[in-house]
Amino acid sequence: MRPFGLFLLMALMLAAAPALAQTGAKTAIGPVGPAATVAPPPAAPSAPTPVQPPVQAPAQILAQLGAQAQITSNDAALATMGQRAAAIEAQARASEAAHAGALAKLQQAIAEATPKPRHTPTAAERTKLAALHAEAAPLQAQLQQDTVLVASADATFNAIAERRREGFSARLLTRSPSPLAPDFWSALGDAAAADGARIQAMVNDEAAALQSASEPRALLGCGAALALGAFIVFPARRWLEKLGRRKTGDAVHPDFARTGAALWVAAVGAGAPTLAAGLLHAAAQWGGLLSSDADALAGSAVVAVAWASAIVSLGRVMATDADRSQRLLPLPDTAAQRLRLPLAATALVTGAGFMLTKLNYVAGASVAATIAANCAISIAYAAVAALILVSFGRSRAPAAAAQGAPQPANEVAQAPVWTLVSLVLGAAIVITLGAVFAGYTTLAAITSGQIFWLSIIAGVAYLLMRFADDLCALVFSEHGWASRALALLFSFRRSTIGQAGVLLSAALQLVILIGALSLALTPFGRGGDLLAANIGQLGAPIRFGSATVSPAAIAAGIVTLVLGMALARMVQRWIVRRYLPATDWDSGVRNSVTTGVGYLGVAVAILCALSATGLGMAQLALVASALSVGIGFGLQNVVQNFVSGVILLVERPVKVGDWVSIDGIEGDVRRIRVRATEIETSDQSTVILPNSDLITKAVQNRTLGEPSGRIKLQLSITRPADVRKARTAILKVAKERPEITQIPPPEVYIENLGAGGAVNLTCFFFVHTPREAYKVRSACYFEILDALQEGEIAFAGLAA
């Protein structure tokens, strides 16, 4: 064996040595049927003998065993099938070794009998060489048959072992021998010999692959992969982390700078070691250094490295980073420092447990080895959980001892969270250890593995949700590119754009949360088929009497409602921007049309959404009949106001822009909604008036007919002789005011004669709109008083 190949073989044997005591390949070889033996040809019969059934070939037996294993769930029957497959494989390997040795001797003899160059063979030499070739041909064919039979037997046994493991894992509460009982160790010891033989066969296959590999190519490939992997893991990873922190630190939003850097560092920290391990695996494949089993284990090693590095990098950005400003969780430095060792232990146990489980599958481990592996992994996870409890508890002990010292707000907020985490971890430790020592190893493995699997999911979901929230806040901020683009293209207000950013952030976080919940239903280490099955179960239909509603239908209804309302909004905006400006309608009619189209579009969208969810007219009628009772008792005022609003929009006794007065409230009608009407008073305040008041009460609409307003002034002239001079002065003031109309013209009337000879005058002026009446009335009073004083016309003020 070459030196480089010997080095790799020794490394593989050292890596596989700890697994020999806990994993195995196959159960002990049991009795073999007639198919596993090769009978000699019978002698010539001297007398008639009964007809014997035909002897089945080993390949036929293996095919039958594989077919029976797919429909058999009995563990004892599967164990017997596994024994037969193992016996056939053992005999086929022995036959393969014997034929390979004989063929090697023949090939050596052929090489010796082959004439040298420039040598003419004699007739005897040619005859001998031909005989050797004729003898080697059937051996070569038999060796090929043995190789195919070994591969078929190995595949059959692995399929049977997989069925046994699946059956054992599916029985969650199936009790097996406890590690405290002698049966546990005796069963493991009984399978140790066969397990060791299986591991030794894997090592021999790998040794053969190493011997046949081209050493310069393998050496150069592995050396280059090691050098490149070391560069990626150490200097390149650190440089990329610094680059990501610097680029995200340039962001305007400080929260995005931290979460963006955390996501980048976590991705680089998990990706760099995984890429390095993948390169080393690819180099070993390229150099031909791996057998089929070793290649499967090497691929699993890459996955284990990915898991371990992901746990370490995620824990670093979440809680254990040396820089406190880079940690997403507000943990004190002491807690972060004490959590580094449990985090590394968690990554090591996760990677090692994954490799041990994969070794069981590749080696075809027995049930006893599977149980032992479950026990070892469960106890390791329980130890890590206990280490986390002790480490974090010790970091909080000094703070709890300081009774009088004030605690920061984040420390106080962490207390309930840590209490919940400690209770969960404590319960997991108790359940795991109790299940292990009681013999429920499958329950222990699932409980311990799911705790850390859910922790990883929670950490990744928290990081992604924080990143999505901060990214939306950055993009839709006042200086964000999305905010500027929306404001430029659609003239949206800043507040509307900010609300859109908040809603988009909530939608993204909801998607991440749903994905995390779906992954939480997937057991640790399983593939995407179970995830798809769980998602399919979430979409199962639900029956409510005669109606059937499924989550998919509900989602379709929500999408239909959103799209329908968006379409109605688009039609409403088109009417406002394109159609109404082309008409000569007043503002009241335009508002009625716009509001009516909006309400009609919303109603159609709701009906389409209900139809998309599977609710037909019969179900809608049932819902309407049920709602009628509630409407009759509790919603009658709402319905009354709604009907009144429809009447206002159709008859338009009061429309937008009218100046109305009702119950002492006077102002402009700004908006008519489906339930109430908004009236803006002269002091710029808004009064929300129910629509039913505008229908059932007396309403003074000053702009319903003629939109002009009237001003009434009252004066008392002291001397009757000055009445005509006063009238002239008042009309002159009214004529000079541009707000006062001349049609109808201003008028001055004598109201009555007062005591002492005073004459009381009443003046009527008209303005273009009643909204100007109060202001113009005050201005006219000022100017009339000045004119009376200039004309020396005595007046006594307002009439009594």
Side-chain angles (χ1 to χ4, degrees):
M1 186 182 295
R2 295 181 175 87
F4 181 70
L6 179 61
F7 170 75
L8 287 181
L9 178 59
M10 293 176 62
L12 181 61
M13 294 179 66
L14 289 175
L20 291 177
Q22 298 181 6
T23 62
K26 302 176 180 179
T27 56
I29 300 176
V32 183
T37 60
V38 180
S46 57
T49 57
V51 178
Q52 299 291 334
V55 179
Q56 288 183 309
Q60 295 177 348
I61 296 177
L62 292 176
Q64 292 178 0
L65 292 176
Q68 291 175 4
Q70 298 299 323
I71 60 176
T72 302
S73 59
N74 185 272
D75 186 71
L78 290 173
T80 303
M81 295 177 189
Q83 291 174 1
R84 298 188 64 184
I88 294 175
E89 181 184 359
Q91 189 170 16
R93 285 186 182 275
S95 177
E96 181 185 25
H99 290 148
L103 184 61
K105 292 180 180 180
L106 281 175
Q107 289 177 348
Q108 184 177 2
I110 291 173
E112 293 175 354
T114 302
K116 303 295 187 293
R118 300 179 183 180
H119 174 71
T120 302
T122 62
E125 291 175 346
R126 287 195 299 270
T127 303
K128 181 181 179 180
L129 185 61
L132 290 174
H133 279 290
E135 187 179 356
L139 284 178
Q140 182 69 34
Q142 187 64 38
L143 181 61
Q144 292 178 355
Q145 292 179 4
D146 292 338
T147 303
V148 172
L149 185 60
V150 167
S152 178
D154 180 72
T156 302
F157 180 83
N158 287 336
I160 294 173
E162 176 67 17
R163 285 283 297 171
R164 294 188 68 190
R165 283 191 297 269
E166 287 180 354
F168 178 77
S169 298
R171 296 187 293 270
L172 183 64
L173 298 180
T174 299
R175 188 175 182 182
S176 60
S178 170
L180 303 179
D183 294 343
F184 176 87
W185 302 102
S186 61
L188 193 60
D190 293 340
D195 292 346
R198 181 64 173 172
I199 295 293
Q200 186 62 42
M202 294 174 56
V203 173
N204 292 337
D205 292 342
E206 176 60 19
L210 293 176
Q211 288 181 348
S212 61
S214 176
E215 186 172 335
R217 178 177 178 178
L219 181 61
L220 291 176
C222 289
L226 284 173
L228 183 59
F231 173 76
I232 292 174
V233 171
F234 296 104
R237 178 178 60 84
R238 294 175 181 175
W239 179 79
L240 288 174
E241 289 180 358
K242 293 181 180 179
L243 177 64
R245 292 187 188 276
R246 185 171 65 252
K247 291 298 184 181
T248 54
D250 296 337
V252 179
H253 201 280
D255 292 336
F256 174 78
R258 186 168 63 170
T259 54
L263 184 61
W264 174 260
V265 170
V268 171
T274 304
L275 179 60
L279 288 175
L280 187 59
H281 181 207
Q285 287 178 325
W286 179 70
L289 297 173
L290 301 175
S291 63
S292 59
D293 293 338
D295 183 65
L297 290 177
S300 301
V302 175
V303 178
V305 170
W307 273 110
S309 57
I311 291 173
V312 172
S313 59
L314 181 62
R316 175 188 170 190
V317 300
M318 294 287 292
T320 65
D321 198 296
D323 188 358
R324 186 171 188 175
S325 62
Q326 300 297 332
R327 296 196 293 263
L328 295 183
L329 297 179
L331 297 178
D333 293 336
T334 55
Q337 185 176 2
R338 291 184 181 275
L339 284 177
R340 291 171 189 169
L341 178 60
L343 182 66
T346 303
L348 179 62
V349 169
T350 302
F354 184 83
M355 285 298 298
L356 182 57
T357 304
K358 188 63 178 180
L359 181 61
N360 283 340
Y361 279 91
V362 173
S366 61
V367 175
T370 303
I371 293 174
N374 287 342
C375 292
I377 296 173
S378 301
I379 293 175
Y381 273 126
V384 171
L387 183 60
I388 293 175
L389 279 176
V390 173
S391 301
F392 199 81
R394 289 178 59 188
S395 64
R396 293 177 56 86
Q403 298 292 339
Q407 297 182 1
N410 56 1
E411 293 289 336
V412 177
Q414 291 172 16
V417 177
W418 169 243
T419 301
L420 178 61
V421 171
S422 61
L423 289 175
V424 172
L425 288 179
I429 294 173
V430 172
I431 294 175
T432 300
L433 295 180
V436 166
F437 293 114
Y440 299 99
T441 56
T442 305
L443 175 62
I446 292 178
T447 301
S448 58
Q450 285 296 310
I451 291 298
F452 290 95
W453 172 239
L454 295 178
S455 301
I456 295 172
I457 293 175
V460 174
Y462 178 78
L463 175 59
L464 293 178
M465 291 172 69
R466 285 280 302 271
F467 176 77
D469 188 26
D470 295 338
L471 178 63
C472 291
L474 173 66
V475 171
F476 290 91
S477 63
E478 184 177 356
H479 302 286
W481 63 267
S483 178
R484 296 195 302 268
L486 292 175
L488 179 63
L489 296 177
F490 303 102
S491 300
F492 287 164
R493 295 182 299 175
R494 297 294 182 182
S495 59
T496 303
I497 297 174
Q499 294 172 10
V502 173
L503 293 177
L504 179 60
S505 173
L508 291 177
Q509 294 183 61
L510 182 61
V511 170
I512 295 171
L513 183 60
I514 293 175
L517 292 176
S518 300
L519 285 174
L521 300 177
T522 304
F524 174 71
R526 297 296 297 272
D529 53 346
L530 188 57
L531 174 60
N534 289 328
I535 295 177
Q537 291 178 0
L538 292 177
I542 302 173
R543 296 189 63 85
F544 295 97
S546 61
T548 301
V549 179
S550 65
I554 294 176
I558 294 175
V559 172
T560 304
L561 179 61
V562 173
L563 293 179
M565 295 186 69
L567 182 61
R569 183 67 174 172
M570 292 173 58
V571 173
Q572 190 179 26
R573 288 185 177 180
W574 178 84
I575 290 176
V576 172
R577 295 178 180 178
R578 297 295 305 275
Y579 178 71
L580 292 181
T583 65
D584 56 353
W585 298 341
D586 57 21
S587 59
V589 176
R590 295 184 180 185
N591 178 78
S592 299
V593 171
T594 303
T595 305
V597 170
Y599 290 154
L600 180 62
V602 171
V604 172
I606 292 175
L607 291 177
C608 293
L610 292 176
S611 177
T613 57
L615 296 177
M617 295 304 298
Q619 288 79 14
L620 293 179
L622 180 62
V623 173
S625 62
L627 290 178
S628 62
V629 179
I631 292 174
F633 287 98
L635 301 179
Q636 53 183 352
N637 291 332
V638 176
V639 175
Q640 182 183 6
N641 289 322
F642 174 79
V643 175
S644 300
V646 174
I647 294 174
L648 290 177
L649 292 175
V650 174
E651 292 188 357
R652 297 191 306 117
V654 175
K655 58 182 181 297
V656 175
D658 286 351
W659 182 272
V660 298
S661 177
I662 176 174
D663 287 342
I665 301 173
E666 186 174 356
D668 285 313
V669 177
R670 292 303 183 190
R671 191 171 185 179
I672 300 176
R673 297 180 178 270
V674 70
R675 188 195 66 85
T677 298
E678 298 179 5
I679 297 177
E680 184 179 353
T681 60
S682 57
D683 59 354
Q684 303 301 315
S685 63
T686 301
V687 178
I688 309 299
L689 197 66
N691 290 333
S692 59
D693 290 351
L694 296 175
I695 297 297
T696 60
K697 295 183 179 180
V699 180
Q700 182 182 7
N701 191 342
R702 298 191 177 184
T703 56
L704 179 59
E706 181 63 34
S708 60
R710 191 184 70 167
I711 299 175
K712 179 180 179 181
L713 303 179
Q714 291 180 322
L715 296 171
S716 179
I717 305 302
T718 305
R719 297 190 299 268
D722 297 335
V723 172
R724 294 190 178 275
K725 291 176 57 179
R727 179 177 182 274
T728 302
I730 293 173
L731 292 177
K732 181 180 179 181
V733 170
K735 186 177 181 180
E736 293 176 352
R737 296 291 304 179
E739 298 90 349
I740 299 177
T741 63
Q742 301 303 315
I743 299 176
E747 297 291 346
V748 178
Y749 299 100
I750 297 177
E751 182 71 20
N752 53 39
L753 300 178
V759 180
N760 298 325
L761 301 180
T762 300
C763 311
F764 292 101
F765 305 153
F766 292 91
V767 293
H768 298 285
T769 172
R771 297 171 183 83
E772 299 178 357
Y774 191 84
K775 180 178 65 175
V776 176
R777 179 171 176 269
S778 176
C780 289
Y781 266 128
F782 278 112
E783 294 181 6
I784 289 174
L785 293 177
D786 293 339
L788 294 178
Q789 290 178 359
E790 291 177 1
E792 297 180 352
I793 301 174
F795 61 92
L798 293 177

